[in-house]
Amino acid sequence: MREILIVGGGYAGFYTAWGLEKKLRRGEARVTVVDPRPYMTYQPFLPEVVAGSIEARHAAVSLRRHLHRTRLIAGTVTDIRNAEHTVTVRPESGPDYQLTYDTLVVTAGAVTRTFPIPGLSEEAVGLKHVEEAVAIRDRLLTSFDRAASLPRGPERRKLLTVTFVGGGFSGVEGFGELLSLATALLDHYPELTSEEIRFHLVEARGRILPEVGDRPGEWVVRALEKRGARVHLNSQLVSAEHGHVVLSSGEEFETGLLVWSAGNASNPIVHNHTDLPVDERGLLTVRADLRVGTEAEPVEGVWAAGDDASVPDLAAHRPGAHTVPNAQHAVRQGKRLAKNILATLRGRTAKNYVHHSLGVVATLGLGRGIFQYRRLVIKGFPAWLMHRGYHVLAVPTWERKVRVFAVWATAALFGRDLVSLASVQQPREAFVSHGNPRRGEQPADVPAR
């Protein structure tokens, strides 16, 4: 029986395995997915997790619940040697080991791109995983609780200052949703005023949301600034040590929450630990049919899709165009991958991946959004409804669709759930402290002396 090994259980990996499960005949092949997480994150929902509009678990699709005939391995692939048809797996515990394959699918996904900025690794939170979205929300709620008990001054001002670095879709959506949550919180904190809340969005380029046109992007900046936010264009983060933000423009301020969403980088396994061909960006070289390699030199039995693959964009009708790394492409590439692998197993010809964009849509907070399809631009509440409608249809499985819709309906009736569960990040605190109060964020595993 042939071994089909999928590296990564994100969008493309999940949909590839899901599609293969539905069509493979008994005994035709065995599918294995290797991923350190037991779920696929539906990343377009992370901004709503940040705002408390969606439960964190509802943005995660369990691999074991939906991949019944796939072997799932909890671990990280650290090396790919296609010459030997082997990958090296590092499990959560125990020594590394090797797996062999007949067909390899690389859908490892991108990682957050960072730079050696002083204080960044100590202060910042990313926005790529469910855990990070939950941490951002809890940090804001906890900051409001702490600020309400303090007199006006530098410490209170720092707690109520939020900074996002990165003006792409992830950053702008997370920024807009968290700003919406902070504004709603004021109704429950009479000690605080809207003038004390400071939200900063830092973008190195001269505009935000590069996927939309110039004028819609400018409208988004104006809309955020009308809500009290500061958008720093043509600015870079120079330092963030101890929460003291220094920008390349010369501006400086204290921030209690720093979120880094300044783009993605290819997974280290792809550009550092494989003998497969990669391009100058560190992405796997992929043909239009999603097979790794070039038209002249295809790599037999190896396929790739998603953020780590440089896939030709045939719908763009211009030489050298490649698909952008977003969920819209990753999902559809995964579906095409499953069909192409089945076709080659059965002696048929694989088809090229072609997808015409459905447009781009972004949430900017509760009841606010923007949508663009070519020259058509829709703003405000209708765009927000389109965002929710599209993504509740796009999230995989009816079970997740129903759960998400139920949470939205409940929130419409009773409002957001404003409880912070930051303490779950230190679950032993109450047990170890025996009720004695602690200051700061001392780990619960280290008893106070």
Side-chain angles (χ1 to χ4, degrees):
M1 185 161 56
R2 293 185 63 84
E3 293 284 346
I4 301 174
L5 179 61
I6 301 175
V7 179
Y11 289 120
F14 173 81
Y15 275 95
T16 300
W18 208 23
L20 287 171
E21 274 200 0
K22 296 174 181 178
K23 299 295 183 180
L24 279 172
R25 303 184 186 113
R26 186 175 298 277
E28 188 173 16
R30 180 172 69 166
V31 181
T32 299
V33 173
V34 181
D35 195 284
R37 288 180 169 81
Y39 55 83
M40 184 271 281
T41 302
Y42 190 72
Q43 291 182 350
F45 277 159
L46 292 186
E48 295 211 43
V49 173
V50 166
S53 299
I54 287 179
E55 290 292 329
R57 291 172 298 170
H58 299 166
V61 179
S62 170
L63 298 181
R64 290 195 178 274
R65 183 183 179 97
H66 300 290
L67 299 179
H68 305 293
R69 297 167 52 198
T70 298
R71 179 173 61 154
L72 300 173
I73 295 178
T76 302
V77 171
T78 60
D79 190 65
I80 298 174
R81 294 296 109 187
N82 187 58
E84 291 83 32
H85 278 217
T86 63
V87 302
T88 302
V89 178
R90 179 164 297 165
E92 287 296 319
S93 60
D96 294 1
Y97 60 91
Q98 289 188 333
L99 293 175
T100 60
Y101 60 84
D102 298 297
T103 299
L104 177 67
V105 179
V106 183
T107 53
V111 297
T112 301
R113 180 183 60 186
T114 58
F115 301 98
I117 298 172
L120 181 64
S121 60
E122 294 82 9
E123 300 292 335
V125 182
L127 185 51
K128 193 170 183 62
H129 301 291
V130 172
E131 301 92 335
E132 294 171 326
V134 172
I136 292 168
R137 177 177 180 269
D138 286 344
R139 285 273 294 274
L140 180 75
L141 293 172
T142 301
S143 292
F144 266 69
D145 285 332
R146 293 173 60 189
S149 63
L150 293 173
R152 285 177 177 264
E155 187 176 358
R156 175 160 150 167
R157 186 162 53 248
K158 180 178 180 179
L159 286 169
L160 297 177
T161 301
V162 175
T163 305
F164 273 64
V165 180
F169 258 78
S170 176
V172 171
E173 287 190 313
F175 184 80
E177 287 286 352
L178 199 64
L179 177 58
S180 179
L181 173 61
T183 304
L185 285 174
L186 289 174
D187 293 337
H188 305 276
Y189 289 86
E191 305 91 340
L192 307 177
T193 64
S194 59
E195 291 76 19
E196 295 180 90
I197 300 175
R198 292 174 171 83
F199 270 66
H200 298 268
L201 176 62
V202 181
E203 169 54 44
R205 292 166 292 189
R207 53 163 301 175
I208 62 174
L209 293 179
E211 295 87 348
V212 304
D214 290 341
R215 294 181 66 182
E218 292 169 358
W219 176 85
V220 172
V221 171
R222 292 195 302 271
L224 292 173
E225 290 182 337
K226 284 181 181 179
R227 295 161 61 188
R230 283 285 310 278
V231 180
H232 305 265
L233 299 177
N234 297 308
S235 296
Q236 296 177 327
L237 180 66
V238 175
S239 175
E241 291 185 295
H242 307 295
H244 181 73
V245 172
V246 180
L247 302 181
S248 58
S249 62
E251 293 187 68
E252 299 184 26
F253 52 87
E254 302 288 326
T255 189
L257 175 57
L258 176 63
V259 180
W260 180 268
S261 58
N264 296 324
S266 61
N267 197 300
I269 181 62
V270 169
H271 65 79
N272 289 334
H273 305 289
T274 179
D275 57 357
L276 296 171
V278 297
D279 64 11
E280 66 280 357
R281 297 175 296 167
L283 303 177
L284 287 170
T285 303
V286 177
R287 307 189 331 170
D289 62 1
L290 304 179
R291 193 192 308 270
V292 171
T294 63
E295 294 298 329
E297 298 182 13
V299 181
E300 291 299 324
V302 183
W303 310 77
D307 293 350
D308 281 324
S310 182
V311 181
D313 188 356
L314 301 185
H317 301 297
R318 64 177 186 274
H322 294 86
T323 59
V324 297
N326 61 21
Q328 193 175 132
H329 281 298
V331 168
R332 287 163 176 80
Q333 287 170 8
K335 294 178 178 179
R336 171 46 54 194
L337 256 179
K339 294 176 181 177
N340 282 355
I341 292 171
L342 284 167
T344 56
L345 285 177
R346 297 167 183 173
R348 300 197 300 269
T349 303
K351 294 183 179 179
N352 289 339
Y353 170 75
V354 184
H355 172 64
H356 296 273
S357 174
L358 302 175
V360 292
V361 61
T363 174
L364 304 175
L366 192 63
R368 303 175 175 90
I370 186 166
F371 167 82
Q372 181 175 5
Y373 177 70
R374 297 181 180 176
R375 295 185 179 182
L376 173 65
V377 178
I378 299 174
K379 306 170 185 175
F381 185 73
W384 176 77
L385 284 178
M386 294 173 68
H387 176 273
R388 285 203 161 181
Y390 172 78
H391 285 298
V392 79
L393 292 175
V395 67
T397 79
W398 279 101
E399 172 255 342
R400 273 295 176 264
K401 298 179 198 297
V402 172
R403 289 183 188 274
V404 169
F405 189 80
V407 172
W408 283 340
T410 303
L413 290 174
F414 303 108
R416 306 172 193 258
D417 189 340
L418 304 180
V419 176
S420 169
L421 294 179
S423 58
V424 302
Q425 298 171 39
Q426 297 179 0
R428 298 184 64 243
E429 175 67 27
F431 175 75
V432 173
S433 67
H434 301 293
N436 295 314
R438 297 171 182 263
R439 286 188 179 275
E441 298 181 358
Q442 182 179 6
D445 293 298
V446 182
R449 295 182 178 178

